[in-house]
């Protein structure tokens, strides 16, 4: 379960960064998958439409927090 959540966190980071890049410039790489947050969430919520860049960077930050939290809960391998 921990690896799944770390993978989900990594995907959120990629989606957030990709959405921020797409907001500033054109994003040609995996735009269908990575910009799903922009198309499905940001475009349908009025508050997020006004702050699309901040919403995407917030998504990336949530992904980083998820990855770090799952890494912190991993069993220690070399400690006694």
């Amino acid at each position: 379960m921990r690896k799944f959540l770390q993978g989900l966190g990594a995907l959120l980071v990629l989606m957030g960064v990709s959405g921020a890049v797409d907001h500033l410039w054109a994003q040609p790489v995996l735009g269908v998958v990575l910009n799903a947050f922009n198309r499905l969430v940001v475009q349908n919520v009025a508050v997020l439409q006004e702050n699309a860049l901040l919403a995407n960077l917030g998504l990336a930050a949530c992904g980083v927090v998820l990855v770090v939290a799952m890494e912190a809960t991993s069993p220690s391998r070399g400690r006694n």
Side-chain angles (χ1 to χ4, degrees), residues 11-80:
L11 178 65
L12 290 177
V13 169
L14 289 175
M15 288 177 75
V17 169
S18 174
V21 167
D22 188 50
H23 183 70
L24 298 173
W25 303 288
Q27 175 68 0
V29 179
L30 291 173
V32 174
V33 176
L34 295 179
N35 291 336
F37 179 71
N38 276 340
R39 288 189 320 271
L40 300 174
V41 179
V42 173
Q43 296 301 322
N44 295 321
V45 180
V47 174
L48 295 180
Q49 286 178 356
E50 298 170 1
N51 301 310
L53 183 61
L54 185 60
N56 285 303
L57 293 177
L59 181 68
C62 288
V64 169
V65 167
L66 186 59
V67 169
V68 169
M70 289 301 107
E71 187 64 31
T73 61
S74 66
S76 56
R77 295 189 180 133
R79 300 178 192 169
N80 289 328

